[in-house]
Amino acid sequence: MEKFYKTLDELFEINNRYSLSTEVIDKLRLDMQSAKVCTPVIGKFSSGKSALLNTLLGYTKGKKILKVDITPETAVPAEISYAPVEENICIIQNDGTHRKVSVDEYRELELDANTVYCTSINLKNSFLEEIPDVMLVDMPGFESGFEVHNRAIDSYLPCSLAYIIAFPADDMTLRTSVGNILKELCLHDMPICIAITKYDKRNDDYPNTLSALKENLKKFIGNRELIYCETSSYTGDAEELKKFLKTVQENSQHILADKFKNIVLAAINTTENYLHTTLKSSELSESELDEQKEKLGKQLDTLNNQFSNEKENFDAAISECVEEIKCDVQIALEGEETSFVAMAMNNQNINERMNIVVRNAVTTSIKKRFIPKVEKYLKRVANCINNESIGDVHVLFSFNAEEVSKGIVSMSVATTAAIILGLPVIGALVVGVIALYHKIKGDQKREEQKRQIRMKLNSEVYPQVLKEVGHGIETAITKQIKLINTSIEDEITAQRNALEKAIEDVRKKISDEKEQKENLVTDIKADLAKIEEMKINLA
């Protein structure tokens, strides 16, 4: 990342020298300064999450920064980051408004989870200083409802490097709610650390209990390798977890570097193309400049047409792919039908179970059916653009396939989850069937109830879910592809503007003295050499 900052400083000086826009550079600097790789800490209520984070931050004595023993109604995500200059805490409401409070004020606050989205806690803390690129997130307990499951994945997975799951040593029961999120995290190949909290409260049977937990975890994650850390807020021991988070910090540098590398290279490319075009144009007469400008315009128009064709062909394939994803969701729903029926027979709401089933089916299906198509599309666009020579320069386009894929999957799943949340209580649609058959006796009564529930699921519930989910997925996918296409169009436009400015700048200088022209050529060659050195350093 230090390489990137240095590169942007040098590029800023060059752009200023030629009156080129520095807007992209300025935005990149801001984005890089605020970029964090987050690590959510999740688990059931009273699992010791907040106490663990207090211990990590050194608040083992006196007033703690995070409250413990809170209720679901007052639990909101707390995002904790390092503040190099000044500590500050911001309360972010669901309506997007912000309210800043002091650390002492925050300790006394009772937050309302119905109105507060999250809190942003920035501390000048010695341990956080060791992990400055990591943002820890204290998540509400999973008993708050399945919307917390959605938030834990949808809001934080796109920017996360790992998840920490807290299990207290005196109660290592694996709740289904935690197991479901573990299963979903595995679909995203997300590293997982198991933090055993309250280690001081372990009993003599602890080794056997831990072994049982490991076996139960396999039901949700298979034989995936997990990291285990034993911690105690009572004794202030969190060294194993600190070591794990320092490893996350080391990896975060690579994650953030990969995130920004292509954007920095694109900014360098724009400036390099301007300089090349200016250098070449300095040898031309005014009439030749007009001819070159017209030629560049035609070449860029051809490039735009090629990109438009690729875009139209891909857009046409989206609806077909959405239908395939809907089929996968239907198969997944039908595969869980026995569970839905059993829950309905016991007067249980099936929305939460359906939410998990649909989320996992959408995740798996998009990664299997849609992401490979996106990657092929972006490669075709990259080849189309990168192979097109515009005058004596090349317009470059590159993309981070992993980041693009994560964005599409997470947005689609988040949209799907919102749809399930917004549906009427599905359980009510099927539970009501039971009352209609109270006059039927014994096994015949139960079988008829089951049959009616299945019929209700297949005739009303599944069609409604599939219709809404299909529309939601198509909307989310289309939005993500539009964002990608817009970034490509912006890059082509930036290149066009740079090339046209190069020609116009030379035109203005065409009447200058020969000595000034020679100085211009010398300066440009020196700056091109600097740019070549930048690219080598970033390779």
Side-chain angles (χ1 to χ4, degrees):
M1 290 295 286
E2 287 302 318
K3 283 184 183 179
F4 291 165
Y5 282 117
K6 183 181 178 182
T7 296
L8 289 178
D9 289 343
E10 293 175 349
L11 194 63
F12 184 86
E13 290 179 8
I14 293 174
N15 280 23
N16 261 344
R17 191 150 53 244
Y18 297 96
S19 299
L20 290 169
S21 171
T22 60
E23 185 179 345
V24 171
I25 298 171
D26 294 336
K27 185 178 184 304
L28 263 171
R29 281 171 167 168
L30 289 174
D31 289 346
M32 286 165 59
Q33 287 168 4
S34 61
K36 301 284 183 185
V37 176
C38 75
T39 305
V41 183
I42 61 179
K44 71 181 186 68
F45 270 99
S46 301
S47 61
K49 302 186 304 296
S50 300
L52 172 60
L53 288 168
N54 282 326
T55 302
L56 281 172
L57 300 175
Y59 294 100
T60 54
K61 296 178 181 179
K63 291 185 177 180
K64 295 175 172 56
I65 191 70
L66 297 171
K67 287 186 178 182
V68 296
D69 298 326
I70 57 177
T71 64
E73 293 74 24
T74 60
V76 299
E79 301 176 355
I80 308 164
S81 303
Y82 174 62
V85 180
E86 183 180 358
E87 293 190 332
N88 64 85
I89 296 179
C90 186
I91 312 297
I92 303 170
Q93 306 287 135
N94 286 330
D95 62 6
T97 57
H98 294 57
R99 176 165 63 101
K100 290 190 175 180
V101 297
S102 69
V103 173
D104 287 336
E105 286 175 322
Y106 179 71
R107 287 187 173 113
E108 303 302 321
L109 277 179
E110 287 288 338
L111 299 175
D112 183 356
N114 294 313
T115 59
V116 177
Y117 183 78
C118 72
T119 60
S120 176
I121 304 173
N122 302 289
L123 302 173
K124 197 172 182 181
N125 176 275
S126 58
F127 177 64
L128 291 178
E129 188 175 7
E130 296 183 55
I131 55 169
D133 299 316
V134 177
M135 178 175 74
L136 298 169
V137 185
D138 185 15
M139 290 296 299
F142 274 61
E143 289 79 356
S144 300
F146 65 99
E147 64 273 14
V148 175
H149 176 142
N150 296 345
R151 285 279 303 279
I153 299 287
D154 302 335
S155 298
Y156 296 107
L157 184 109
C159 57
S160 293
L161 188 60
Y163 276 68
I164 297 172
I165 319 294
F167 286 93
D170 58 347
D171 179 13
M172 289 194 286
T173 304
L174 178 58
R175 304 294 198 278
T176 302
S177 56
V178 177
N180 285 331
I181 197 170
L182 284 167
K183 188 175 181 180
E184 186 165 355
L185 289 174
C186 288
L187 293 177
H188 296 278
D189 300 319
M190 182 59 59
I192 299 168
C193 172
I194 303 297
I196 305 299
T197 59
K198 307 179 184 180
Y199 185 64
D200 54 286
K201 293 186 177 181
R202 69 193 185 281
N203 56 32
D204 294 338
D205 199 38
Y206 171 74
N208 293 330
T209 308
L210 180 60
S211 295
L213 173 64
K214 291 179 178 180
E215 285 302 312
N216 288 332
L217 285 169
K218 288 181 181 180
K219 297 174 184 176
F220 293 94
I221 65 173
N223 291 316
R224 272 183 58 117
E225 185 177 347
L226 299 177
I227 297 169
Y228 287 83
C229 298
E230 294 172 338
T231 69
S232 170
S233 299
Y234 179 75
T235 61
D237 181 15
E239 291 307 310
E240 290 181 353
L241 189 58
K242 284 184 176 180
K243 184 178 178 181
F244 169 76
L245 288 170
K246 288 175 185 176
T247 303
V248 172
Q249 167 65 28
E250 292 171 8
N251 291 334
S252 72
Q253 289 290 298
H254 300 296
I255 295 290
L256 294 175
D258 286 343
K259 177 182 178 67
F260 290 107
K261 182 176 181 179
N262 289 340
I263 309 173
V264 173
L265 286 173
I268 292 173
N269 181 59
T270 300
T271 302
E272 183 181 29
N273 283 348
Y274 166 83
L275 294 174
H276 273 304
T277 305
T278 305
L279 185 61
K280 179 68 176 176
S281 301
S282 66
E283 303 169 359
L284 303 177
S285 66
E286 192 164 358
S287 60
E288 288 172 328
L289 283 174
D290 290 335
E291 192 176 313
Q292 186 187 28
K293 184 176 180 180
E294 184 180 355
K295 182 180 178 182
L296 284 173
K298 289 180 178 177
Q299 289 174 319
L300 284 164
D301 288 341
T302 299
L303 179 58
N304 266 322
N305 289 335
Q306 290 175 338
F307 170 54
S308 294
N309 289 336
E310 290 289 352
K311 186 168 60 173
E312 287 175 11
N313 290 337
F314 184 72
D315 287 346
I318 290 178
S319 294
E320 180 182 343
C321 197
V322 169
E323 288 303 313
E324 293 175 347
I325 295 169
K326 283 171 62 178
C327 286
D328 289 340
V329 172
Q330 182 168 359
I331 290 170
L333 288 171
E334 291 171 351
E336 288 291 323
E337 194 166 286
T338 301
S339 297
F340 295 149
V341 171
M343 291 175 72
M345 293 288 288
N346 291 320
N347 291 322
Q348 292 176 289
N349 177 15
I350 66 175
N351 286 58
E352 181 171 355
R353 181 61 190 160
M354 189 164 288
N355 175 55
I356 301 298
V357 171
V358 172
R359 287 177 66 91
N360 290 351
V362 169
T363 300
T364 303
S365 187
I366 288 179
K367 291 177 77 171
K368 175 184 175 183
R369 299 186 184 279
F370 189 64
I371 295 304
K373 290 182 172 66
V374 174
E375 290 175 350
K376 287 179 183 178
Y377 165 65
L378 292 176
K379 284 178 182 176
R380 286 198 304 271
V381 170
N383 290 334
C384 162
I385 293 175
N386 297 347
N387 291 336
E388 187 66 35
S389 179
I390 309 296
D392 293 319
V393 301
H394 288 276
V395 179
L396 298 179
F397 164 67
S398 55
F399 62 95
N400 186 324
E402 184 176 348
E403 189 169 330
V404 169
S405 300
K406 190 181 284 187
I408 292 172
V409 173
S410 61
M411 176 62 76
S412 301
V413 174
T415 302
T416 300
I419 288 167
I420 300 295
L421 279 170
L423 288 175
V425 180
I426 299 171
L429 296 177
V430 291
V431 170
V433 173
I434 297 173
L436 298 177
Y437 296 92
H438 62 278
K439 294 182 179 179
I440 306 175
K441 303 291 185 182
D443 291 340
Q444 184 183 358
K445 172 183 173 181
R446 288 187 59 81
E447 289 306 312
E448 181 60 21
Q449 288 172 343
K450 288 180 182 179
R451 190 183 72 79
Q452 289 294 325
I453 290 170
R454 286 195 174 91
M455 190 161 42
K456 196 87 168 177
L457 286 169
N458 284 280
S459 64
E460 294 183 32
V461 177
Y462 296 164
Q464 181 186 8
V465 170
L466 291 171
K467 178 184 175 182
E468 298 293 335
V469 165
H471 176 71
I473 292 172
E474 186 158 8
T475 301
I477 286 174
T478 302
K479 182 178 180 180
Q480 287 293 302
I481 297 302
K482 186 177 180 180
L483 289 174
I484 294 167
N485 288 337
T486 298
S487 70
I488 297 170
E489 290 163 358
D490 288 346
E491 180 59 27
I492 294 173
T493 300
Q495 297 291 353
R496 177 191 288 271
N497 292 340
L499 298 178
E500 289 179 349
K501 184 180 186 305
I503 294 173
E504 290 305 314
D505 285 353
V506 171
R507 189 191 302 280
K508 291 174 185 176
K509 293 179 173 63
I510 205 163
S511 59
D512 289 354
E513 295 291 333
K514 181 180 179 182
E515 183 181 350
Q516 290 175 308
K517 288 184 180 180
E518 289 173 351
N519 288 340
L520 174 64
V521 169
T522 301
D523 290 344
I524 288 174
K525 287 181 177 177
D527 287 331
L528 281 170
K530 283 184 182 178
I531 281 180
E532 189 60 34
E533 189 177 341
M534 289 181 204
K535 291 164 74 175
I536 291 171
N537 287 337
L538 292 178

